[in-house]
Amino acid sequence: MTQPVPDHGIQDTGFQLQDGLDEAIAAFCLPEVLGFGSVFGPAMFRADYRDGQWLPGEFQRYGPIALEPGAKVLHYAQEVFEGLKAYRVDGREAALFRPEMNWRRLNSSAARLCLPAVPESVYVDGVFGVTALNEAFIPGASGESLYLRPFLFGTESNLGMGVAREVSFMVIASPSQAYHPGSMSLLIERGESRVAGGGIGAAKVGGNYACALQSAARCAELGYDLTLWLDPVKRRDIEELSGMNFFAVVDGRLLTPTLTGSILAGITRDSVIQLARSRGLEVEETSIAVDELLEWIAQGRCSECFACGTAAIIAPIRELGEADGRRCQLPPEGGAITASLRQALLDIQEGRAEDTFGWMAAIPDRYRRSSMSL
Amino acid sequence: MTQPVPDHGIQDTGFQLQDGLDEAIAAFCLPEVLGFGSVFGPAMFRADYRDGQWLPGEFQRYGPIALEPGAKVLHYAQEVFEGLKAYRVDGREAALFRPEMNWRRLNSSAARLCLPAVPESVYVDGVFGVTALNEAFIPGASGESLYLRPFLFGTESNLGMGVAREVSFMVIASPSQAYHPGSMSLLIERGESRVAGGGIGAAKVGGNYACALQSAARCAELGYDLTLWLDPVKRRDIEELSGMNFFAVVDGRLLTPTLTGSILAGITRDSVIQLARSRGLEVEETSIAVDELLEWIAQGRCSECFACGTAAIIAPIRELGEADGRRCQLPPEGGAITASLRQALLDIQEGRAEDTFGWMAAIPDRYRRSSMSL
Ligand SMILES: Cc1ncc(COP(=O)(O)O)c(C=O)c1O
Ligand SMILES: Cc1ncc(COP(=O)(O)O)c(C=O)c1O
């Protein structure tokens, strides 16, 4: 039922286990309240890149890392990241959702920032090894998961503006609850842009998220949950949320913004498109002018909107509003298509439905602690 | 000759000296070859912000800091920085160039990223204290200086997308040579943008610099030194370089792009404007369409272009070119106005000319090691 992961020559790469890791895992207690991304499992992975080469990775106790104050990541944001989940609901075997997609996107983000690519074997060691070592701490209720955070950052200490020649790749893991339960109210951001056209919106890089904080603060002030970003040039077409892609059901068809270069190519977005089509829904990637969408909602032609991403899975949008307070309402709890797509996706992720798309990846046995040599 | 710095209630803030700092300073040897931003002086400053409050700062031995792997700075680029110089040429007393301007800009960048403001007293402790403690290592040839790097970053460990509630402010110091000797060849970047309109171009935040790396790599490939960025919406008007502001002499007048919101308000830029006006030059802040400027160069109406910033001071531009190889030439070593403005600015910074603008700030005695209590 889970996709076999090819053997990427792990023996060749080699990895190490830090002293005291077993003890740290044995001593770890999962807190009762998890939240999202605030509790970290006791095992993490780190591999360093130096002199044009990746050194063998190491599974380490989760804890502070040492960084030079002049490290490029602290000044010039030479950092890219990924987010994916391992599920283990109702006592099933742990499995990751489409991990190879995150690997590809990690490396395309890395290329945009001129950081070295992470070899597949290093990435596979990181995400599967960290999942295996933290397996006992994957919470098992529906909606819960082990959120995996692979990230790559420039550690070279130099205030010149060039590319870091020393880089680290790490994977940390956070036992988490679902990110956004309930339906969301979005502020249509007409004044600011998150990313430039011809910028780095298609990459998952730290700077894009820093830029979004001010609008997030304004959302909170004005009583909205999250920002809805428009294209940075005409400020006309819907792009995405700060951490999720956007979908609308219009005249019974599912619409989502085309990947213009300033939108992140979400893996949930891609999965929703495939899933919807397999269920007979017509899906169109197209430009969606926000003012037109507002009219369609008023006319009843747009019946539901939702956002999707790894953290939130699929979350209904209950209203779209302006900074001046005008708000355009959608079904308060989301519509039927939103709910059924969410359920279908979650059923695959959590192992209740057959994985007809081959999306789930089990942990290869070589990452079980018992198969890892000290 | 140097501007007195008001007493900002240092006694109230209080700061500490780390054990072993004096020994580290005594043991430090300045290497013969400095470069820019790669050698760090033995003393640094750090102050932490927690629970809505700044804790007393500490002068520490320069060395690695410990950071949680989940720290916001590593994922969401919650980081802003500054750059300023302390000069001590030909045995004169050390003095900083317009440090209060960097403090103001630091805090406006911080506000853009929703980071807490650094109180003036904490900033003053940091930049003057670090200068005083590293004073013996300020190189003394013309063009050399102690490059100070104040920076502020989110240390809170949490993968949620909110603002860091734990933040650190640090100042490190790099004994440096001049950044860009010689004249520069610029690539007019017509395909990418560094920052969005309504984005964070006016703030000195890490993400803006990460975004510029790909274009810098293309410059190197195509035989250019640096990128010249255009406005992100129409891609028509000149904005700035990745780390310097732009000036052109047209019909004998000095033109520089207006601060549109996506350009950094350079302190050197402001100083050049004041200096040029004081010397009888007409200066205009205006929009400069790049294609018009190219025509003016061809017609001989534009006689010189230069870029300016803290690191490079004033550097002549010898050509502007396109990705396809077409290049438009300017005087290979820069023009007379460029050279005389550079000399006049450097004479003030290095203490050879009278500081009629009140730009230079001496180190208050309380930051001399002899006045600091252990
Ligand atoms: C900007 C942005 N858009 C969309 C998404 C959704 O992508 P995915 O479905 O791969 O998680 C994310 C993050 O997860 C994001 O950060
Ligand atoms: C983007 C950018 N523009 C301009 C400048 C010049 O500013 P200043 O003269 O304050 O150094 C800098 C940096 O120093 C910069 O990073």
Side-chain angles (χ1 to χ4, degrees), chain A residues 36-38 40 44 62-81 111-114 147 149-153 157-164 170 172 174 179 191-200 204-217 229 232-235 242-243, chain B residues 36-38 40 44 62-81 111-114 147 149-153 157-164 170 172 174 179 191-200 204-217 229 232-235 242-243:
Chain A
F36 178 84
S38 50
F40 293 97
M44 67 181 191
Y62 180 86
I65 57 171
L67 209 54
E68 290 287 325
K72 302 256 189 196
V73 66
L74 295 176
H75 303 270
Y76 306 128
Q78 295 188 15
E79 57 193 73
V80 309
F81 68 96
R112 183 63 183 79
L113 289 202
C114 305
Y147 179 77
R149 168 57 59 95
F151 60 114
L152 181 71
F153 54 102
S157 176
N158 189 306
L159 300 181
M161 277 181 199
V163 176
M170 293 186 69
I172 56 178
S174 175
Y179 189 51
E192 289 180 13
S193 291
R194 180 179 163 267
V195 294
I200 50 177
K204 206 161 164 70
V205 304
N208 295 347
Y209 300 85
C211 189
L213 290 169
Q214 182 169 279
S215 180
W229 296 100
V233 173
K234 292 169 287 150
R235 291 253 172 76
S242 297
Chain B
F36 178 83
S38 49
F40 293 96
M44 66 182 192
Y62 180 85
I65 57 171
L67 209 54
E68 290 287 324
K72 303 256 191 199
V73 66
L74 295 176
H75 303 269
Y76 306 128
Q78 295 188 15
E79 57 193 74
V80 310
F81 68 95
R112 184 60 181 84
L113 290 202
C114 305
Y147 179 77
R149 168 57 57 95
F151 60 115
L152 182 70
F153 54 103
S157 176
N158 189 306
L159 300 181
M161 277 179 197
V163 176
M170 293 186 68
I172 56 179
S174 176
Y179 189 52
E192 288 180 14
S193 290
R194 180 178 164 269
V195 294
I200 50 178
K204 207 160 163 68
V205 303
N208 295 348
Y209 299 85
C211 190
L213 290 169
Q214 181 169 279
S215 180
W229 296 102
V233 172
K234 292 169 287 152
R235 292 255 170 75
S242 299

Side-chain angles (χ1 to χ4, degrees), chain A residues 137-184:
Chain A
F137 313 112
I138 307 181
S142 181
E144 296 182 338
S145 63
L146 186 70
Y147 179 77
L148 295 163
R149 168 57 59 95
F151 60 114
L152 181 71
F153 54 102
T155 56
E156 185 188 349
S157 176
N158 189 306
L159 300 181
M161 277 181 199
V163 176
R165 285 161 302 185
E166 290 165 23
V167 172
S168 288
F169 171 65
M170 293 186 69
V171 181
I172 56 178
S174 175
S176 290
Q177 287 161 325
Y179 189 51
H180 244 294
S183 67
M184 305 180 299

Side-chain angles (χ1 to χ4, degrees), chain B residues 258-297:
Chain B
T258 316
L259 299 176
T260 54
S262 45
I263 297 177
L264 194 79
I267 293 160
T268 317
R269 173 186 181 278
D270 179 81
S271 309
V272 165
I273 292 172
Q274 291 190 48
L275 201 54
R277 286 193 176 135
S278 78
R279 297 157 72 90
L281 253 176
E282 209 181 311
V283 184
E284 198 185 344
E285 298 181 58
T286 178
S287 62
I288 304 176
V290 68
D291 291 329
E292 210 162 8
L293 184 77
L294 294 175
E295 272 178 42
W296 292 339
I297 296 173

Side-chain angles (χ1 to χ4, degrees), chain A residues 85-277:
Chain A
K85 283 179 174 175
Y87 294 88
R88 202 197 60 164
V89 173
D90 293 335
R92 294 190 187 82
E93 219 194 313
L96 276 63
F97 185 69
R98 308 187 74 183
E100 77 288 357
M101 296 284 284
N102 296 86
W103 172 64
R104 283 181 213 291
R105 191 171 64 187
L106 177 74
N107 282 345
S108 90
S109 301
R112 183 63 183 79
L113 289 202
C114 305
L115 290 169
V118 177
E120 190 167 9
S121 62
V122 173
Y123 172 80
V124 165
D125 282 2
V127 296
F128 285 102
V130 164
T131 304
L133 292 168
N134 291 299
E135 195 170 9
F137 313 112
I138 307 181
S142 181
E144 296 182 338
S145 63
L146 186 70
Y147 179 77
L148 295 163
R149 168 57 59 95
F151 60 114
L152 181 71
F153 54 102
T155 56
E156 185 188 349
S157 176
N158 189 306
L159 300 181
M161 277 181 199
V163 176
R165 285 161 302 185
E166 290 165 23
V167 172
S168 288
F169 171 65
M170 293 186 69
V171 181
I172 56 178
S174 175
S176 290
Q177 287 161 325
Y179 189 51
H180 244 294
S183 67
M184 305 180 299
S185 166
L186 304 188
L187 170 66
I188 301 165
E189 178 58 79
R190 298 187 189 264
E192 289 180 13
S193 291
R194 180 179 163 267
V195 294
I200 50 177
K204 206 161 164 70
V205 304
N208 295 347
Y209 300 85
C211 189
L213 290 169
Q214 182 169 279
S215 180
R218 192 157 57 239
C219 284
E221 265 168 44
L222 299 173
Y224 293 99
D225 296 315
L226 293 171
T227 303
L228 181 64
W229 296 100
L230 305 181
D231 77 276
V233 173
K234 292 169 287 150
R235 291 253 172 76
R236 193 193 75 172
D237 297 330
I238 291 177
E239 294 223 315
E240 60 177 331
L241 283 66
S242 297
M244 295 182 229
N245 292 110
F246 180 88
F247 281 84
V249 179
V250 178
D251 298 333
R253 292 157 69 230
L254 193 56
L255 306 186
T256 193
T258 316
L259 300 176
T260 55
S262 45
I263 297 178
L264 194 78
I267 293 161
T268 317
R269 173 185 181 280
D270 179 81
S271 309
V272 165
I273 292 173
Q274 290 190 47
L275 202 53
R277 286 192 175 136

